[in-house]
Amino acid sequence: MNEGKRGVWSGSWVTERLGVELAGDESLPELLGLALRRNPKRAHLLVSNVLGKHVPQSPSVVYGHGVALGRRVRELLGSSASSAVVLGYAETATGLGHSVADGLAVAPYLHSTRRPVAGTATAGGFEESHSHATSHLLLPEDPALLAGGGPLVLVDDEFSTGNTVLNTVRDLHARYPRERYVVVALVDMRSGADAGRLESFSRSIGARIDLVTAASGTVRLPDGVLERGAALVAEQEGATGGASAAAGAPGLVARFPAPLQGAAAPAHREADGTTVPSGARGTARPATNGPQPTTALQGASDPAASEADAGADPVGARGTARSATNGPQPTTTVEGSAVTTGARAVTRVELGWPDRLPDGGRHGFTPAHRARLEHALPGMAARLAEALPDNPHRVLVLGFEELMYTPLRLAGELERAAAATDADIRFSTTTRSPVLAVDDPGYAIRTRLTFPAHDDPADGPGDRYAYNVAGAGFDAVVAVVDSAADTPALHAPDGLLSRLAEHTPHVLLAVVPSYVPAERPATMLPEPLRGPAFSSYAPEEVGWLLQDLSDVTLEAPTEEREEAIQSGGAHYAESLPVEYQPSEQYQRLFHTALDESADRLAHAVGVVTETVLAERSPRPVLVSLARAGTPVGILMRRWAQHRHQLELPHYAVSIVRGRGIDANALRWLAAHHDPRDVVFVDGWTGKGAITRELAQAIEEFEKAEGVTGFDPEIAVLADPGSCVRTYGTRDDYLIPSACLNSTVSGLISRTVLRADLVGPDDFHGAKFYRELAGADLSVAFLDAVSARFPQVADAACAQAKELLSADRTPTWEGWAAVERISEEYGIHDVNLVKPGVGETTRVLLRRVPWKVLARAGAGRDLDHVRLLAEQRGVPVEEVDELPYTCVGLIHPRYTRGATGVDGKAVTR
């Protein structure tokens, strides 16, 4: 597959040198070309001819492909289309995704972004595995946009491996589970193995995933293509003066794709207001100043175009372009009339953008927004047309990175208005993606303009690019940027506008106001819940930043929860395990363990509290992670009162693995206390998953809220995993509060986070099991440990002083051990390996255990573990050189028919 329907295929240069080939639908050469880039993950780049990113194309072609795909999705979804949400990927598919949403007509649209926006909370994020810039953020203005249960339509320009989609669905399904996803792309280029992986993933999460594309095929990659591609890129860069190409080849421009079948009629407007081409306009009509090989200036009949082309740089010669004769001039504002100040002037055009209309889908774009835009488009396009030179033959509307949709729609409106003239309107956008430019008709990227980033990107300064613009014979370029990008860097001598002015006689600038979500009105979060109305603790001991869900039935059988959690069909925080009711034998064991360990516990409480007071804050605000951290937080508060006569505030908040800490609880804390005084408290570390979760959640919260000062370092009673710096001990021993559930934690359940129960302005939830008051040991546990404070005070303070001068840098040896155990036992999922006495106890009480690994020679600290294991029929295997006293293994790949180590089905 080397030729399109006309002329040389724009991928033949790569195919001939590297053997990279496309196989599949006949339309692939019309849709795609090939180029090379310096990328260790993927050397080749599929260059779309109809996306409007790298190749200037008719806007009706670009928009028409997206709308057509959207209409196919609407037909596929039927009545459920009305509850769908469309999500596009930055940066290349922001315009395509928006066009797909227009095709659905009834769906709101959101695209991912790499631009953080202060004050906007992150609703999710994911990674793009093959991209040079990977981190995607989701920043909807309406937090409920992604929380609905309707279909989620994911739009990307190409579907190559499926990794990006898998990463997205995995992240969003954990937060907002739904029954159906639709993946939309211009081309599906997956291998058979990758296609099977998506199907398997779909089954594992219990959701349907459909795929809608314009064409499909595969990319054939010979052995060693990455190494050979890197060598070829280095060779080309060396031959043309270096990797930082400024303008690209002198004169030759990419040959634009031939029209698709039946594509000749002009665009028309549907009854619903959507502009759709009758087909895909392809090669432009030959303009008198059309692109010519400028080495000889053959046939160039337009002096201005020829002069500009003759001055373009060869590929790789960044910074050496001949400046325009009169250089870039200060911009001239135009309101309703075409005014220029010279052959190379930049003319600013005031569009008259509607007030509070989003500039795109970064924060969400609804059908109501679309209606406002459709109404305003003709007037804005007319202002652009008035500012263009008289009788232009070839005009490029150039969008800006993620800002694709608005420039595309403006270009489409210009094209519609110019249908009766000789003007050829094209559309493309700048990009952050570095691609090698080669002056050959069989190569998709013929020229490259390089200029500095001009929107103060979060990842720092860097180069940006505009492809196939230099030498393309455009007698006017309309640069469309948002106001965040209208910076001095844009207007600098080496900025985008100056680079454009070197290659076209007329540069226009249209600035769209960057949409900033309206500040949400300050939510009146409720005051903390306190005992005895909520929990059996005294009201001064702890305030719970939670909502009371006691009247909601949330408990599910352990086996059902485990199956749902491991299949991806539900998150563990969406339901509760049935509360374990200990036998008399087990309760005796608890009391014996408490009597024997109370001194050791009191000592550890003293060490960690003294460390906090010395290092973190003289008057810390204790914030325990409910619920295992809450008894420890109360004990630390009691120590400060006993030893220093301090009355420390103490609150309990929810943190959920995979979903982060309760942001509303953080907002409440920031409004009532100095975040620098907040110390997060937990009972113990296992492998350190919650430690990492908290650090990531705090970072995201501070970026979104603009609040700083929270320290994500957790203070724990025991740190057997060596995950933190602030601890009472690093020994792995029985903390009796781990033996029981709510009956040693103030009769409070685990925390709950479920979209139908917890709204965007709510605290996470929990239940108060008042009916278990007769079995409650919460206060008895606290009193037993506190009673030992006088005996251990001096020793605890002395050890704390020693620790303050010691190297307490976390080694994360626990995490390494968990990874090793996961592989040695064939589990291949660290989330199913729960290290330490406390975590093992939780496995036996709440999950479906597979086996327990016990360190050889472990003593009475494991009596309760052995008893629970015996009651549940779980084998205990002694292991030499285990870094923890014990490790609990959750049954891997649990289903109702899964078998245990004895080969029998697990039913208990």
Side-chain angles (χ1 to χ4, degrees):
M1 180 179 293
N2 289 333
E3 292 190 4
K5 295 186 177 180
R6 284 192 189 174
V8 178
W9 175 48
S10 61
S12 57
W13 191 92
V14 174
T15 295
E16 290 165 3
R17 287 159 180 78
L18 292 183
V20 177
E21 296 181 333
L22 305 186
D25 294 348
E26 291 185 0
S27 61
L28 283 179
E30 301 168 13
L31 297 174
L32 297 174
L34 291 174
L36 299 178
R37 59 183 177 178
R38 185 182 290 276
N39 187 317
K41 300 178 183 179
R42 196 169 77 170
H44 70 282
L45 177 70
L46 298 176
V47 180
S48 174
N49 292 322
V50 297
L51 182 65
K53 176 55 70 172
H54 302 86
V55 178
Q57 178 57 278
S58 159
S60 61
V61 171
V62 177
Y63 188 59
H65 273 81
V67 169
L69 287 168
R71 288 179 172 168
R72 288 174 56 191
V73 173
R74 184 172 62 184
E75 182 179 351
L76 173 71
L77 293 178
S79 60
S80 63
S82 61
S83 61
V85 175
V86 181
L87 175 62
Y89 288 93
E91 71 175 40
T92 54
T94 59
L96 176 65
H98 210 143
S99 302
V100 168
D102 283 358
L104 265 79
V106 294
Y109 175 65
L110 176 74
H111 69 69
S112 67
T113 183
R114 296 189 178 100
R115 180 195 287 178
V117 178
T120 304
T122 302
F126 48 90
E127 299 295 310
E128 186 175 4
S129 58
H130 66 263
S131 176
H132 65 286
T134 56
S135 295
H136 290 246
L137 301 173
L138 298 177
L139 305 176
E141 179 175 22
D142 179 3
L145 183 64
L146 294 170
L152 182 63
V153 181
L154 304 158
V155 184
D156 208 354
D157 57 317
E158 65 181 72
F159 200 34
S160 52
T161 65
N163 287 338
T164 303
V165 168
L166 289 178
N167 289 338
T168 309
V169 174
R170 184 178 291 112
D171 179 83
L172 291 179
H173 197 76
R175 296 168 182 255
Y176 316 109
R178 62 189 74 234
E179 296 179 354
R180 191 169 188 181
Y181 297 86
V182 181
V183 178
V184 180
L186 288 170
V187 291
D188 175 12
M189 303 300 289
R190 291 173 300 159
S191 65
D194 286 330
R197 199 155 53 94
L198 182 66
E199 294 172 3
S200 175
F201 176 73
S202 172
R203 290 192 297 271
S204 72
I205 65 172
R208 174 177 171 177
I209 302 180
D210 294 298
L211 182 63
V212 175
T213 64
S216 62
T218 58
V219 182
R220 294 173 178 166
L221 299 175
D223 293 339
V225 69
L226 276 177
E227 295 78 8
R228 290 167 53 215
L232 183 57
V233 170
E235 174 189 329
Q236 290 295 315
E237 291 175 344
T240 55
S244 297
L252 277 174
V253 66
R255 301 187 188 282
F256 298 103
L260 301 181
Q261 288 287 354
H268 64 276
R269 190 176 293 272
E270 296 287 326
D272 63 0
T274 304
T275 304
V276 185
S278 299
R281 280 180 67 194
T283 305
R285 62 182 69 81
T288 56
N289 63 339
Q292 301 292 336
T294 57
T295 49
L297 296 177
Q298 297 176 359
S301 58
D302 186 303
S306 300
E307 180 184 350
D309 290 352
D313 299 334
V315 176
R318 184 187 175 196
T320 60
R322 175 182 59 80
S323 297
T325 306
N326 59 345
Q329 301 295 321
T331 59
T332 298
T333 299
V334 176
E335 297 185 41
S337 63
V339 177
T340 59
T341 59
R344 297 295 189 270
V346 176
T347 303
R348 182 184 292 267
V349 182
E350 296 295 340
L351 291 173
W353 187 262
D355 184 52
R356 296 299 298 166
L357 177 65
D359 55 288
R362 181 178 287 114
H363 303 296
F365 200 95
T366 66
H369 291 142
R370 174 174 170 258
R372 290 187 65 200
L373 177 63
E374 295 287 349
H375 179 75
L377 271 174
M380 292 190 291
R383 295 181 187 97
L384 285 177
E386 290 172 4
L388 289 171
D390 293 337
N391 302 316
H393 293 292
R394 191 167 171 78
V395 176
L396 174 68
V397 177
L398 184 66
F400 155 63
E401 296 185 31
E402 294 177 9
L403 186 69
M404 294 187 70
Y405 178 75
T406 291
L408 171 62
R409 298 304 311 278
L410 289 168
E413 198 65 27
L414 275 178
E415 182 182 50
R416 190 183 68 82
T421 72
D422 194 39
D424 177 41
I425 309 297
R426 294 277 160 161
F427 166 74
S428 64
T429 51
T430 64
T431 176
R432 59 167 52 209
S433 176
V435 186
L436 178 72
V438 176
D439 179 16
D440 190 282
Y443 189 81
I445 302 297
R446 301 292 300 279
T447 67
R448 180 172 85 177
L449 291 175
T450 302
F451 51 91
H454 52 89
D455 63 336
D456 191 23
D459 55 353
D463 285 341
R464 300 295 186 261
Y465 311 93
Y467 295 109
N468 294 323
V469 176
F474 293 113
D475 45 12
V477 175
V478 181
V480 182
V481 303
D482 61 17
S483 55
D486 185 19
T487 64
L490 176 68
H491 301 267
D494 63 344
L496 171 62
L497 299 180
S498 294
R499 302 319 307 268
L500 293 173
E502 294 166 0
H503 300 285
T504 183
H506 301 280
V507 177
L508 282 65
L509 174 64
V511 179
V512 178
S514 299
Y515 183 77
V516 178
E519 287 192 19
R520 291 167 60 192
T523 303
M524 296 298 293
L525 292 168
E527 288 301 300
L529 300 174
R530 296 184 182 274
F534 188 83
S535 88
S536 59
Y537 294 132
E540 68 275 9
E541 300 266 37
V542 59
W544 302 85
L545 296 177
L546 297 170
Q547 63 168 314
D548 189 352
L549 299 178
S550 301
D551 295 332
V552 182
T553 301
L554 293 166
E555 291 75 14
T558 302
E559 292 81 5
E560 288 184 11
R561 293 185 76 245
E562 194 65 51
E563 184 175 358
I565 292 168
Q566 290 197 33
S567 70
H571 192 278
Y572 75 86
E574 294 175 353
S575 63
L576 293 172
V578 176
E579 279 290 307
Y580 171 70
Q581 298 300 309
S583 63
E584 289 187 13
Q585 181 184 9
Y586 190 82
Q587 290 188 59
R588 288 196 299 271
L589 190 152
F590 167 81
H591 286 290
T592 299
L594 179 57
D595 289 340
E596 294 178 352
S597 65
D599 280 350
R600 187 161 52 169
L601 287 171
H603 183 271
V605 169
V607 172
V608 69
T609 308
E610 294 295 329
T611 303
V612 165
L613 292 171
E615 276 192 339
R616 303 287 290 276
S617 171
R619 295 191 64 85
V621 177
L622 302 178
V623 178
S624 60
L625 304 181
R627 68 185 170 183
T630 304
V632 177
I634 294 175
L635 287 170
M636 291 177 66
R637 183 182 182 278
R638 288 187 177 190
W639 179 277
Q641 187 180 46
H642 165 77
R643 186 72 179 179
H644 302 282
Q645 294 73 52
L646 293 175
E647 294 287 343
L648 300 181
H650 174 217
Y651 307 97
V653 302
S654 168
I655 186 169
V656 177
R657 181 170 55 82
R659 299 189 181 183
I661 197 166
D662 186 341
N664 285 319
L666 293 182
R667 292 187 186 100
W668 192 95
L669 289 167
H672 292 80
H673 298 281
D674 186 339
R676 293 172 295 182
D677 289 332
V678 169
V679 177
F680 295 100
V681 176
D682 206 358
W684 55 84
T685 64
K687 54 182 174 286
I690 289 297
T691 305
R692 298 183 181 200
E693 184 81 37
L694 179 62
Q696 180 181 346
I698 292 296
E699 180 181 3
E700 291 180 357
F701 174 81
E702 293 194 340
K703 284 182 179 178
E705 299 290 325
V707 175
T708 60
F710 285 111
D711 186 344
E713 174 77 24
I714 304 177
V716 298
L717 201 60
D719 180 35
S722 187
C723 306
V724 299
R725 292 185 70 258
T726 309
Y727 53 84
T729 179
R730 277 185 168 157
D731 294 337
D732 183 21
Y733 64 89
L734 172 62
I735 298 174
S737 61
C739 290
L740 301 171
N741 286 330
S742 68
T743 52
V744 76
S745 304
L747 298 182
I748 300 301
S749 73
R750 294 197 58 160
T751 58
V752 174
L753 179 57
R754 209 171 77 188
D756 60 327
L757 298 174
V758 179
D761 298 323
D762 296 331
F763 292 137
H764 294 187
K767 297 183 72 168
F768 175 26
Y769 292 116
R770 299 171 178 83
E771 65 275 17
L772 299 181
D776 186 23
L777 298 170
S778 304
V779 176
F781 167 72
L782 298 174
D783 290 346
V785 177
S786 301
R788 309 295 176 95
F789 286 170
Q791 295 97 301
V792 303
D794 292 342
C797 291
Q799 185 176 349
K801 185 176 294 186
E802 291 179 10
L803 280 178
L804 289 171
S805 59
D807 182 6
R808 290 170 284 138
T809 304
T811 65
W812 294 92
E813 63 184 40
W815 188 277
V818 166
E819 289 182 324
R820 185 179 69 251
I821 291 169
S822 174
E823 296 305 310
E824 286 180 358
Y825 284 81
I827 297 173
H828 308 303
D829 184 350
V830 294
N831 292 319
L832 301 183
V833 180
K834 301 295 185 179
V837 177
E839 292 300 303
T840 301
T841 304
R842 287 178 166 185
V843 169
L844 291 166
L845 290 176
R846 306 175 186 170
R847 305 295 292 270
V848 177
W850 182 32
K851 62 178 66 177
V852 172
L853 310 182
R855 186 166 60 203
R860 298 193 62 180
D861 279 337
L862 291 189
D863 283 353
H864 77 291
V865 168
R866 294 187 182 96
L867 176 60
L868 284 174
E870 179 184 353
Q871 291 175 348
R872 299 206 62 182
V874 177
V876 178
E877 176 182 323
E878 289 204 348
V879 178
D880 292 327
E881 300 180 359
L882 194 66
Y884 295 91
T885 303
C886 62
V887 176
L889 304 182
I890 297 172
H891 202 297
R893 295 174 295 280
Y894 178 81
T895 66
R896 295 178 191 277
T899 55
V901 291
D902 59 357
K904 296 180 180 179
V906 175
T907 58
R908 63 174 65 219

